[in-house]
Amino acid sequence: MSMKHTERGSAVLVVGHLLFAALTALALVHWRLRAIHVDSAWQLFKWLQQEGLSFEAHRYSALFPQMAVKFMARLHAGLPALLRTASVAHVLLPWGLFAVAGHVLRRPWHAAAMALAAVLCTRIAFYGMVLEAHYLLSYPLLLTAALDAWHDRRSGAPLVIAWVALLLTLFAHPLGAPVACAMILFQVAARGLDRLAIALFVMAAIFPVIAHVVWPATGYEQGLYSGIAEGTEAMASASNPAVDFLFGHSWRDTSTYLPWWCLLGFSTALLLKRGRWLLLALLLASVAAFLVVTFATYHRGDSAVMMQKNFLPLATLVALPLALLLREADVKSGRIAALVLLIIGFVQFRGMSFAAREIGARYALIEALVDEARAKHGHLRIDTATLNARGLHVHWALPVEALLCSALDGPEQAVVVEVQGEGDAVGLPIPLNQLNRSWFRPPIAGDSVD
């Protein structure tokens, strides 16, 4: 690597480390909001209850944060320490991958793409930390960094890292395979074709077929596939919630996606100016295909955190082509790119910080339920109509959220909240006497009061 290239990349590496350090600090400050929130609370509860590793919907790449929590549990850490570990581990993982790309593989611009992707399309989704789409902001970019390093030096380390990164991407999320294919094509368009790129692309392309034979689709995934079929017609409707979410949070409601639109436009203009027609076609085609599939799949809408999670891979699709273009710039342009990255990181980081108010409002309502349950001898039964009137509209994980929230004050302070709706009641997924008493010791017998 030339001295000029090293100098161009050093500035973006510094900025990238600053961004991840800031995200780590934010994860520490808001660990309660990140850990005790619907899906996160549900998964953390399973991690604490089960002896072995637990995976949702065959997504085996969601491994490292869980191992960190399990390790701390082996050390008999208290529940607050375990939840802090979970919150921070979900940031330290991409930060570690950023360091591998930038310092081990010596691909600072691929690392910069990883730092940019971590913040570009994230706001309230930061508080849905266990949602596996977050892994698509780092694993595929590590893959391309290794592929790029292999292109320059045919050594064993980039080869091994490339295959490991591909497998992590494929097992992270159902969108892992198409995102990996797009990333490999971007890399080929920028650096040229070689045997490793062909092998990786073939594996990524055939993986969905293999996966559906070996691991049949879960009920949740089957619902998404049905949504794609149903949503093809719904996309033409003016009331498509997914379309409204993307454009509403580009300028009307928040400016979450405005930097993404700006960088997409800048990348398009730069590619046109340089005559990089193949890379331009791949960029526009991949973004268009992703939006069409997302608009169709989520045409019925979802909660705010889940809706933003659906659009996270847009950051990866723009970050890599932009980084590949900027690394060809001179030293001055590289420093300008680092400054732009810092500005975008600051703007998006500010949005994440302010989003804590929305998640904090829900957490305050859960704390109120915990206080109410303690006044009822540790057991509370409440109906969905009451919860909806209070502003708690997502109920399926509420008993687990309340249990974790209450147990932060000590195992004996744990309470049980049961939700009653039109159908069956929603309670804890296991009997009270099977709770791990290291962290949860609610009263086994007590009054259940409406």
Side-chain angles (χ1 to χ4, degrees):
M1 186 177 297
S2 68
M3 184 64 67
K4 274 191 173 183
H5 187 77
T6 302
E7 188 177 351
R8 289 199 306 267
S10 60
V12 293
L13 282 179
V14 171
V15 173
H17 280 297
L18 290 175
L19 286 179
F20 278 114
L23 291 175
T24 302
L26 193 63
L28 273 173
V29 171
H30 295 302
W31 62 273
R32 290 180 181 84
L33 305 187
R34 279 165 54 82
I36 306 177
H37 184 266
V38 194
D39 297 79
S40 301
W42 181 265
Q43 286 199 29
L44 284 169
F45 175 76
K46 292 179 66 175
W47 295 356
L48 295 173
Q49 283 294 132
Q50 298 181 7
E51 286 294 328
L53 297 173
S54 172
F55 301 100
E56 299 287 334
H58 316 305
R59 300 179 185 183
Y60 300 106
S61 294
L63 174 67
F64 304 107
Q66 182 176 177
M67 291 178 65
V69 173
K70 295 279 189 181
F71 175 76
M72 292 296 293
R74 291 285 184 183
L75 298 179
H76 305 289
L79 185 61
L82 296 179
L83 300 194
R84 285 189 181 95
T85 299
S87 181
V88 173
H90 280 89
V91 177
L92 294 182
L93 175 59
W95 193 358
L97 299 180
F98 167 87
V100 171
H103 300 290
V104 177
L105 296 172
R106 297 181 181 178
R107 291 301 178 268
W109 289 98
H110 289 79
M114 205 179 295
L116 177 61
V119 298
L120 185 57
C121 292
T122 304
R123 181 178 167 269
I124 199 170
F126 180 75
Y127 301 91
M129 64 179 187
V130 302
L131 300 175
E132 291 87 354
H134 286 285
Y135 296 114
L136 299 184
L137 305 178
S138 54
Y139 289 155
L141 293 169
L142 179 63
L143 164 64
T144 56
L147 183 56
D148 192 76
W150 166 263
H151 191 86
D152 287 344
R153 59 181 197 274
R154 305 300 173 96
S155 61
L159 177 65
V160 172
I161 293 174
W163 280 105
V164 170
L166 176 64
L167 293 176
L168 290 172
T169 303
L170 297 178
F171 282 108
H173 192 274
L175 283 176
V179 170
C181 287
M183 294 296 102
I184 295 168
L185 290 176
F186 287 155
Q187 188 65 38
V188 168
R191 297 298 307 277
L193 188 65
D194 57 37
R195 288 178 297 175
L196 180 58
I198 294 173
L200 293 169
F201 183 85
V202 170
M203 181 62 189
I206 66 174
F207 181 80
V209 178
I210 298 174
H212 278 78
V213 172
V214 179
W215 303 282
T218 63
Y220 173 75
E221 291 181 2
Q222 288 175 347
L224 296 182
Y225 299 144
S226 300
I228 294 175
E230 298 172 3
T232 303
E233 297 180 4
M235 280 192 299
S237 170
S239 60
N240 186 302
V243 176
D244 183 70
F245 185 88
L246 176 64
F247 290 98
H249 287 279
S250 294
W251 41 76
R252 185 190 66 211
D253 301 321
T254 69
S255 59
T256 300
Y257 299 110
L258 185 58
W260 179 84
W261 285 109
C262 293
L263 292 183
L264 176 63
F266 176 74
S267 300
T268 301
L270 199 56
L271 288 167
L272 286 170
K273 181 180 179 180
R274 296 185 182 179
R276 305 290 291 273
W277 308 114
L278 178 58
L279 191 54
L280 175 61
L282 289 171
L283 171 61
L284 297 181
S286 63
V287 168
F290 178 85
L291 288 177
V292 168
V293 172
T294 303
F295 290 158
T297 306
Y298 301 100
H299 65 280
R300 295 176 180 173
D302 209 327
S303 65
V305 171
M306 296 299 288
M307 287 299 288
Q308 190 174 106
K309 175 268 300 181
N310 301 332
F311 292 102
L312 286 177
L314 284 175
T316 306
L317 294 177
V318 166
L320 180 62
L322 180 60
L324 292 174
L325 287 171
L326 291 176
R327 81 172 188 172
E328 300 171 1
D330 55 24
V331 174
K332 181 179 178 181
S333 298
R335 290 172 179 169
I336 294 175
L339 178 61
V340 171
L341 175 60
L342 183 61
I343 293 172
I344 291 176
F346 171 77
V347 171
Q348 297 301 89
F349 180 83
R350 181 175 177 269
M352 291 181 206
S353 300
F354 286 169
R357 298 174 183 174
E358 301 173 46
I359 304 298
R362 175 184 174 83
Y363 187 79
L365 293 172
I366 294 173
E367 287 184 313
L369 280 181
V370 168
D371 292 338
E372 194 172 341
R374 286 173 178 161
K376 303 288 187 180
H377 309 291
H379 288 250
L380 174 68
R381 184 182 298 139
I382 191 167
D383 61 84
T384 56
T386 302
L387 291 173
N388 289 331
R390 295 184 184 183
L392 279 166
H393 302 289
V394 181
H395 310 138
W396 65 269
L398 189 57
V400 172
E401 292 175 288
L403 180 71
L404 289 172
C405 177
S406 60
L408 292 177
D409 296 326
E412 294 82 5
Q413 298 299 313
V415 302
V416 177
V417 174
E418 182 181 357
V419 180
Q420 296 219 313
E422 297 179 358
D424 296 332
V426 179
L428 292 174
I430 61 174
L432 295 184
N433 59 8
Q434 294 182 17
L435 289 173
N436 191 320
R437 294 186 62 80
S438 297
W439 301 290
F440 312 115
R441 299 175 197 167
I444 301 300
D447 297 328
S448 293
V449 183
D450 293 330

